[in-house]
Amino acid sequence: KAGVTQTPRYLIKTRGQQVTLSCSPISGHRSVSWYQQTPGQGLQFLFEYFSETQRNKGNFPGRFSGRQFSNSRSEMNVSTLELGDSALYLCASSSKVGGVNTEAFFGQGTRLTVV
Amino acid sequence: DQQVKQNSPSLSVQEGRISILNCDYTNSMFDYFLWYKKYPAEGPTFLISISSIKDKNEDGRFTVFLNKSAKHLSLHIVPSQPGDSAVYFCAATGAGGTSYGKLTFGQGTILTVHP
């Protein structure tokens, strides 16, 4: 079974631009979550999608958004990029249905650098 | 408001000995706990988990202990191997809408196993 796939692996963007990151979950997994990892803040939850609906959202500004398609693939978008958005963005998928996420499997991440 | 804390930023252990990584949490709504291992620029890899209805779970060289009254869990690795050298994250989740797809992570502990 293929794992969680994130594309691209690396991105360099300029302040003010926008960026779209993609995540393909493990086949059969319907829950997709996004996290931001920075040296100062650690791993922070961005949002979670299940069956094309956002079910949960972390404490991030509205510049961070996402969506999920009918095949469970997900994208996240960051608009008006700031230097502080430089981070490793991780996607995780889970097969659990309902309120509790148990084992979440992570992709390799997308390293975003904003210059 | 750090709800999951790993107070030891680093741990150094000799090959063959036991590694004990600790984690404390403050949110009594957490009822499922996970440990992940992470290498730089890669996504976290799931190691082992434990439900709050248990106090111990074993998987090969890895054992997780949960002390609910103390809101404390620990990961034991026996015997430790050089390939175990990585960053270890403790994570927690709970039931209910605010927990959908959301893992709350500790700051991580860097484990170094010396040959």
mmCIF file with all atom_site columns, all heavy atoms in Angstrom, chain B residues 61-78:
data_model
loop_
_atom_site.group_PDB
_atom_site.id
_atom_site.type_symbol
_atom_site.label_atom_id
_atom_site.label_alt_id
_atom_site.label_comp_id
_atom_site.label_asym_id
_atom_site.label_entity_id
_atom_site.label_seq_id
_atom_site.pdbx_PDB_ins_code
_atom_site.Cartn_x
_atom_site.Cartn_y
_atom_site.Cartn_z
_atom_site.occupancy
_atom_site.B_iso_or_equiv
_atom_site.pdbx_formal_charge
_atom_site.auth_seq_id
_atom_site.auth_comp_id
_atom_site.auth_asym_id
_atom_site.auth_atom_id
_atom_site.pdbx_PDB_model_num
ATOM 1   N N   . ARG B 1 61 ? 10.432 -3.899 20.925 1.00 0.00 ? 61 ARG B N   1
ATOM 2   C CA  . ARG B 1 61 ? 11.344 -3.223 21.853 1.00 0.00 ? 61 ARG B CA  1
ATOM 3   C C   . ARG B 1 61 ? 10.713 -1.984 22.504 1.00 0.00 ? 61 ARG B C   1
ATOM 4   O O   . ARG B 1 61 ? 11.324 -1.384 23.383 1.00 0.00 ? 61 ARG B O   1
ATOM 5   C CB  . ARG B 1 61 ? 12.608 -2.790 21.102 1.00 0.00 ? 61 ARG B CB  1
ATOM 6   C CG  . ARG B 1 61 ? 13.438 -3.932 20.547 1.00 0.00 ? 61 ARG B CG  1
ATOM 7   C CD  . ARG B 1 61 ? 14.750 -3.439 19.946 1.00 0.00 ? 61 ARG B CD  1
ATOM 8   N NE  . ARG B 1 61 ? 14.540 -2.544 18.816 1.00 0.00 ? 61 ARG B NE  1
ATOM 9   C CZ  . ARG B 1 61 ? 14.900 -1.264 18.811 1.00 0.00 ? 61 ARG B CZ  1
ATOM 10  N NH1 . ARG B 1 61 ? 15.472 -0.717 19.882 1.00 0.00 ? 61 ARG B NH1 1
ATOM 11  N NH2 . ARG B 1 61 ? 14.691 -0.516 17.738 1.00 0.00 ? 61 ARG B NH2 1
ATOM 12  N N   . PHE B 1 62 ? 9.524  -1.626 22.072 1.00 0.00 ? 62 PHE B N   1
ATOM 13  C CA  . PHE B 1 62 ? 8.884  -0.399 22.549 1.00 0.00 ? 62 PHE B CA  1
ATOM 14  C C   . PHE B 1 62 ? 7.730  -0.710 23.510 1.00 0.00 ? 62 PHE B C   1
ATOM 15  O O   . PHE B 1 62 ? 6.879  -1.547 23.224 1.00 0.00 ? 62 PHE B O   1
ATOM 16  C CB  . PHE B 1 62 ? 8.343  0.412  21.359 1.00 0.00 ? 62 PHE B CB  1
ATOM 17  C CG  . PHE B 1 62 ? 9.402  0.796  20.359 1.00 0.00 ? 62 PHE B CG  1
ATOM 18  C CD1 . PHE B 1 62 ? 9.661  -0.002 19.256 1.00 0.00 ? 62 PHE B CD1 1
ATOM 19  C CD2 . PHE B 1 62 ? 10.139 1.947  20.539 1.00 0.00 ? 62 PHE B CD2 1
ATOM 20  C CE1 . PHE B 1 62 ? 10.644 0.341  18.345 1.00 0.00 ? 62 PHE B CE1 1
ATOM 21  C CE2 . PHE B 1 62 ? 11.121 2.303  19.629 1.00 0.00 ? 62 PHE B CE2 1
ATOM 22  C CZ  . PHE B 1 62 ? 11.376 1.501  18.532 1.00 0.00 ? 62 PHE B CZ  1
ATOM 23  N N   . THR B 1 63 ? 7.747  -0.023 24.649 1.00 0.00 ? 63 THR B N   1
ATOM 24  C CA  . THR B 1 63 ? 6.659  -0.139 25.619 1.00 0.00 ? 63 THR B CA  1
ATOM 25  C C   . THR B 1 63 ? 6.251  1.263  26.045 1.00 0.00 ? 63 THR B C   1
ATOM 26  O O   . THR B 1 63 ? 7.111  2.085  26.360 1.00 0.00 ? 63 THR B O   1
ATOM 27  C CB  . THR B 1 63 ? 7.097  -0.937 26.857 1.00 0.00 ? 63 THR B CB  1
ATOM 28  O OG1 . THR B 1 63 ? 7.551  -2.230 26.450 1.00 0.00 ? 63 THR B OG1 1
ATOM 29  C CG2 . THR B 1 63 ? 5.932  -1.094 27.834 1.00 0.00 ? 63 THR B CG2 1
ATOM 30  N N   . VAL B 1 64 ? 4.957  1.508  26.056 1.00 0.00 ? 64 VAL B N   1
ATOM 31  C CA  . VAL B 1 64 ? 4.464  2.795  26.541 1.00 0.00 ? 64 VAL B CA  1
ATOM 32  C C   . VAL B 1 64 ? 3.683  2.547  27.824 1.00 0.00 ? 64 VAL B C   1
ATOM 33  O O   . VAL B 1 64 ? 2.890  1.604  27.923 1.00 0.00 ? 64 VAL B O   1
ATOM 34  C CB  . VAL B 1 64 ? 3.615  3.529  25.483 1.00 0.00 ? 64 VAL B CB  1
ATOM 35  C CG1 . VAL B 1 64 ? 2.448  2.683  25.013 1.00 0.00 ? 64 VAL B CG1 1
ATOM 36  C CG2 . VAL B 1 64 ? 3.135  4.865  26.000 1.00 0.00 ? 64 VAL B CG2 1
ATOM 37  N N   . PHE B 1 65 ? 3.953  3.384  28.830 1.00 0.00 ? 65 PHE B N   1
ATOM 38  C CA  . PHE B 1 65 ? 3.271  3.328  30.104 1.00 0.00 ? 65 PHE B CA  1
ATOM 39  C C   . PHE B 1 65 ? 2.457  4.603  30.285 1.00 0.00 ? 65 PHE B C   1
ATOM 40  O O   . PHE B 1 65 ? 2.930  5.692  29.971 1.00 0.00 ? 65 PHE B O   1
ATOM 41  C CB  . PHE B 1 65 ? 4.283  3.214  31.257 1.00 0.00 ? 65 PHE B CB  1
ATOM 42  C CG  . PHE B 1 65 ? 5.079  1.949  31.251 1.00 0.00 ? 65 PHE B CG  1
ATOM 43  C CD1 . PHE B 1 65 ? 6.306  1.883  30.581 1.00 0.00 ? 65 PHE B CD1 1
ATOM 44  C CD2 . PHE B 1 65 ? 4.622  0.816  31.903 1.00 0.00 ? 65 PHE B CD2 1
ATOM 45  C CE1 . PHE B 1 65 ? 7.046  0.714  30.566 1.00 0.00 ? 65 PHE B CE1 1
ATOM 46  C CE2 . PHE B 1 65 ? 5.357  -0.359 31.900 1.00 0.00 ? 65 PHE B CE2 1
ATOM 47  C CZ  . PHE B 1 65 ? 6.565  -0.419 31.224 1.00 0.00 ? 65 PHE B CZ  1
ATOM 48  N N   . LEU B 1 66 ? 1.242  4.433  30.810 1.00 0.00 ? 66 LEU B N   1
ATOM 49  C CA  . LEU B 1 66 ? 0.383  5.592  31.049 1.00 0.00 ? 66 LEU B CA  1
ATOM 50  C C   . LEU B 1 66 ? -0.042 5.630  32.508 1.00 0.00 ? 66 LEU B C   1
ATOM 51  O O   . LEU B 1 66 ? -0.568 4.645  33.035 1.00 0.00 ? 66 LEU B O   1
ATOM 52  C CB  . LEU B 1 66 ? -0.859 5.532  30.148 1.00 0.00 ? 66 LEU B CB  1
ATOM 53  C CG  . LEU B 1 66 ? -1.922 6.607  30.367 1.00 0.00 ? 66 LEU B CG  1
ATOM 54  C CD1 . LEU B 1 66 ? -1.363 8.003  30.061 1.00 0.00 ? 66 LEU B CD1 1
ATOM 55  C CD2 . LEU B 1 66 ? -3.151 6.331  29.512 1.00 0.00 ? 66 LEU B CD2 1
ATOM 56  N N   . ASN B 1 67 ? 0.184  6.771  33.143 1.00 0.00 ? 67 ASN B N   1
ATOM 57  C CA  . ASN B 1 67 ? -0.264 6.997  34.507 1.00 0.00 ? 67 ASN B CA  1
ATOM 58  C C   . ASN B 1 67 ? -1.285 8.134  34.449 1.00 0.00 ? 67 ASN B C   1
ATOM 59  O O   . ASN B 1 67 ? -0.925 9.309  34.420 1.00 0.00 ? 67 ASN B O   1
ATOM 60  C CB  . ASN B 1 67 ? 0.920  7.376  35.404 1.00 0.00 ? 67 ASN B CB  1
ATOM 61  C CG  . ASN B 1 67 ? 0.524  7.573  36.850 1.00 0.00 ? 67 ASN B CG  1
ATOM 62  O OD1 . ASN B 1 67 ? -0.614 7.923  37.162 1.00 0.00 ? 67 ASN B OD1 1
ATOM 63  N ND2 . ASN B 1 67 ? 1.464  7.350  37.751 1.00 0.00 ? 67 ASN B ND2 1
ATOM 64  N N   . LYS B 1 68 ? -2.556 7.755  34.405 1.00 0.00 ? 68 LYS B N   1
ATOM 65  C CA  . LYS B 1 68 ? -3.605 8.767  34.214 1.00 0.00 ? 68 LYS B CA  1
ATOM 66  C C   . LYS B 1 68 ? -3.702 9.726  35.382 1.00 0.00 ? 68 LYS B C   1
ATOM 67  O O   . LYS B 1 68 ? -3.950 10.924 35.200 1.00 0.00 ? 68 LYS B O   1
ATOM 68  C CB  . LYS B 1 68 ? -4.960 8.080  34.009 1.00 0.00 ? 68 LYS B CB  1
ATOM 69  C CG  . LYS B 1 68 ? -5.205 7.598  32.613 1.00 0.00 ? 68 LYS B CG  1
ATOM 70  C CD  . LYS B 1 68 ? -6.581 6.995  32.473 1.00 0.00 ? 68 LYS B CD  1
ATOM 71  C CE  . LYS B 1 68 ? -7.675 8.006  32.753 1.00 0.00 ? 68 LYS B CE  1
ATOM 72  N NZ  . LYS B 1 68 ? -9.020 7.398  32.609 1.00 0.00 ? 68 LYS B NZ  1
ATOM 73  N N   . SER B 1 69 ? -3.535 9.224  36.594 1.00 0.00 ? 69 SER B N   1
ATOM 74  C CA  . SER B 1 69 ? -3.681 10.103 37.753 1.00 0.00 ? 69 SER B CA  1
ATOM 75  C C   . SER B 1 69 ? -2.606 11.180 37.759 1.00 0.00 ? 69 SER B C   1
ATOM 76  O O   . SER B 1 69 ? -2.846 12.312 38.185 1.00 0.00 ? 69 SER B O   1
ATOM 77  C CB  . SER B 1 69 ? -3.647 9.293  39.049 1.00 0.00 ? 69 SER B CB  1
ATOM 78  O OG  . SER B 1 69 ? -2.417 8.608  39.161 1.00 0.00 ? 69 SER B OG  1
ATOM 79  N N   . ALA B 1 70 ? -1.426 10.825 37.265 1.00 0.00 ? 70 ALA B N   1
ATOM 80  C CA  . ALA B 1 70 ? -0.332 11.794 37.201 1.00 0.00 ? 70 ALA B CA  1
ATOM 81  C C   . ALA B 1 70 ? -0.296 12.531 35.881 1.00 0.00 ? 70 ALA B C   1
ATOM 82  O O   . ALA B 1 70 ? 0.536  13.434 35.686 1.00 0.00 ? 70 ALA B O   1
ATOM 83  C CB  . ALA B 1 70 ? 1.006  11.088 37.427 1.00 0.00 ? 70 ALA B CB  1
ATOM 84  N N   . LYS B 1 71 ? -1.160 12.144 34.945 1.00 0.00 ? 71 LYS B N   1
ATOM 85  C CA  . LYS B 1 71 ? -1.169 12.711 33.592 1.00 0.00 ? 71 LYS B CA  1
ATOM 86  C C   . LYS B 1 71 ? 0.244  12.629 32.999 1.00 0.00 ? 71 LYS B C   1
ATOM 87  O O   . LYS B 1 71 ? 0.809  13.627 32.509 1.00 0.00 ? 71 LYS B O   1
ATOM 88  C CB  . LYS B 1 71 ? -1.681 14.154 33.587 1.00 0.00 ? 71 LYS B CB  1
ATOM 89  C CG  . LYS B 1 71 ? -3.151 14.295 33.949 1.00 0.00 ? 71 LYS B CG  1
ATOM 90  C CD  . LYS B 1 71 ? -3.639 15.711 33.655 1.00 0.00 ? 71 LYS B CD  1
ATOM 91  C CE  . LYS B 1 71 ? -5.109 15.860 33.883 1.00 0.00 ? 71 LYS B CE  1
ATOM 92  N NZ  . LYS B 1 71 ? -5.498 15.719 35.297 1.00 0.00 ? 71 LYS B NZ  1
ATOM 93  N N   . HIS B 1 72 ? 0.781  11.428 33.027 1.00 0.00 ? 72 HIS B N   1
ATOM 94  C CA  . HIS B 1 72 ? 2.155  11.191 32.601 1.00 0.00 ? 72 HIS B CA  1
ATOM 95  C C   . HIS B 1 72 ? 2.239  9.905  31.794 1.00 0.00 ? 72 HIS B C   1
ATOM 96  O O   . HIS B 1 72 ? 1.596  8.907  32.121 1.00 0.00 ? 72 HIS B O   1
ATOM 97  C CB  . HIS B 1 72 ? 3.061  11.082 33.838 1.00 0.00 ? 72 HIS B CB  1
ATOM 98  C CG  . HIS B 1 72 ? 4.473  10.750 33.511 1.00 0.00 ? 72 HIS B CG  1
ATOM 99  N ND1 . HIS B 1 72 ? 5.407  11.698 33.153 1.00 0.00 ? 72 HIS B ND1 1
ATOM 100 C CD2 . HIS B 1 72 ? 5.118  9.551  33.479 1.00 0.00 ? 72 HIS B CD2 1
ATOM 101 C CE1 . HIS B 1 72 ? 6.563  11.115 32.916 1.00 0.00 ? 72 HIS B CE1 1
ATOM 102 N NE2 . HIS B 1 72 ? 6.421  9.819  33.100 1.00 0.00 ? 72 HIS B NE2 1
ATOM 103 N N   . LEU B 1 73 ? 3.010  9.969  30.716 1.00 0.00 ? 73 LEU B N   1
ATOM 104 C CA  . LEU B 1 73 ? 3.297  8.740  29.997 1.00 0.00 ? 73 LEU B CA  1
ATOM 105 C C   . LEU B 1 73 ? 4.773  8.681  29.649 1.00 0.00 ? 73 LEU B C   1
ATOM 106 O O   . LEU B 1 73 ? 5.457  9.708  29.649 1.00 0.00 ? 73 LEU B O   1
ATOM 107 C CB  . LEU B 1 73 ? 2.440  8.574  28.740 1.00 0.00 ? 73 LEU B CB  1
ATOM 108 C CG  . LEU B 1 73 ? 2.491  9.578  27.615 1.00 0.00 ? 73 LEU B CG  1
ATOM 109 C CD1 . LEU B 1 73 ? 2.100  8.883  26.312 1.00 0.00 ? 73 LEU B CD1 1
ATOM 110 C CD2 . LEU B 1 73 ? 1.507  10.706 27.861 1.00 0.00 ? 73 LEU B CD2 1
ATOM 111 N N   . SER B 1 74 ? 5.238  7.464  29.436 1.00 0.00 ? 74 SER B N   1
ATOM 112 C CA  . SER B 1 74 ? 6.643  7.286  29.108 1.00 0.00 ? 74 SER B CA  1
ATOM 113 C C   . SER B 1 74 ? 6.781  6.210  28.041 1.00 0.00 ? 74 SER B C   1
ATOM 114 O O   . SER B 1 74 ? 5.953  5.300  27.936 1.00 0.00 ? 74 SER B O   1
ATOM 115 C CB  . SER B 1 74 ? 7.457  6.930  30.349 1.00 0.00 ? 74 SER B CB  1
ATOM 116 O OG  . SER B 1 74 ? 6.995  5.719  30.904 1.00 0.00 ? 74 SER B OG  1
ATOM 117 N N   . LEU B 1 75 ? 7.825  6.356  27.257 1.00 0.00 ? 75 LEU B N   1
ATOM 118 C CA  . LEU B 1 75 ? 8.177  5.384  26.216 1.00 0.00 ? 75 LEU B CA  1
ATOM 119 C C   . LEU B 1 75 ? 9.498  4.745  26.607 1.00 0.00 ? 75 LEU B C   1
ATOM 120 O O   . LEU B 1 75 ? 10.478 5.449  26.848 1.00 0.00 ? 75 LEU B O   1
ATOM 121 C CB  . LEU B 1 75 ? 8.308  6.068  24.853 1.00 0.00 ? 75 LEU B CB  1
ATOM 122 C CG  . LEU B 1 75 ? 8.804  5.191  23.708 1.00 0.00 ? 75 LEU B CG  1
ATOM 123 C CD1 . LEU B 1 75 ? 7.765  4.127  23.359 1.00 0.00 ? 75 LEU B CD1 1
ATOM 124 C CD2 . LEU B 1 75 ? 9.147  6.030  22.487 1.00 0.00 ? 75 LEU B CD2 1
ATOM 125 N N   . HIS B 1 76 ? 9.506  3.409  26.711 1.00 0.00 ? 76 HIS B N   1
ATOM 126 C CA  . HIS B 1 76 ? 10.719 2.672  27.012 1.00 0.00 ? 76 HIS B CA  1
ATOM 127 C C   . HIS B 1 76 ? 11.182 1.943  25.763 1.00 0.00 ? 76 HIS B C   1
ATOM 128 O O   . HIS B 1 76 ? 10.361 1.259  25.097 1.00 0.00 ? 76 HIS B O   1
ATOM 129 C CB  . HIS B 1 76 ? 10.467 1.650  28.129 1.00 0.00 ? 76 HIS B CB  1
ATOM 130 C CG  . HIS B 1 76 ? 10.182 2.285  29.453 1.00 0.00 ? 76 HIS B CG  1
ATOM 131 N ND1 . HIS B 1 76 ? 10.517 1.688  30.642 1.00 0.00 ? 76 HIS B ND1 1
ATOM 132 C CD2 . HIS B 1 76 ? 9.607  3.465  29.783 1.00 0.00 ? 76 HIS B CD2 1
ATOM 133 C CE1 . HIS B 1 76 ? 10.156 2.462  31.641 1.00 0.00 ? 76 HIS B CE1 1
ATOM 134 N NE2 . HIS B 1 76 ? 9.586  3.546  31.140 1.00 0.00 ? 76 HIS B NE2 1
ATOM 135 N N   . ILE B 1 77 ? 12.451 2.072  25.451 1.00 0.00 ? 77 ILE B N   1
ATOM 136 C CA  . ILE B 1 77 ? 13.039 1.365  24.317 1.00 0.00 ? 77 ILE B CA  1
ATOM 137 C C   . ILE B 1 77 ? 14.136 0.461  24.865 1.00 0.00 ? 77 ILE B C   1
ATOM 138 O O   . ILE B 1 77 ? 15.105 0.938  25.464 1.00 0.00 ? 77 ILE B O   1
ATOM 139 C CB  . ILE B 1 77 ? 13.641 2.341  23.283 1.00 0.00 ? 77 ILE B CB  1
ATOM 140 C CG1 . ILE B 1 77 ? 12.600 3.383  22.845 1.00 0.00 ? 77 ILE B CG1 1
ATOM 141 C CG2 . ILE B 1 77 ? 14.143 1.568  22.059 1.00 0.00 ? 77 ILE B CG2 1
ATOM 142 C CD1 . ILE B 1 77 ? 13.163 4.472  21.937 1.00 0.00 ? 77 ILE B CD1 1
ATOM 143 N N   . VAL B 1 78 ? 13.925 -0.852 24.697 1.00 0.00 ? 78 VAL B N   1
ATOM 144 C CA  . VAL B 1 78 ? 14.894 -1.817 25.222 1.00 0.00 ? 78 VAL B CA  1
ATOM 145 C C   . VAL B 1 78 ? 15.091 -2.972 24.233 1.00 0.00 ? 78 VAL B C   1
ATOM 146 O O   . VAL B 1 78 ? 14.109 -3.610 23.865 1.00 0.00 ? 78 VAL B O   1
ATOM 147 C CB  . VAL B 1 78 ? 14.411 -2.417 26.566 1.00 0.00 ? 78 VAL B CB  1
ATOM 148 C CG1 . VAL B 1 78 ? 15.472 -3.362 27.131 1.00 0.00 ? 78 VAL B CG1 1
ATOM 149 C CG2 . VAL B 1 78 ? 14.068 -1.327 27.569 1.00 0.00 ? 78 VAL B CG2 1
#
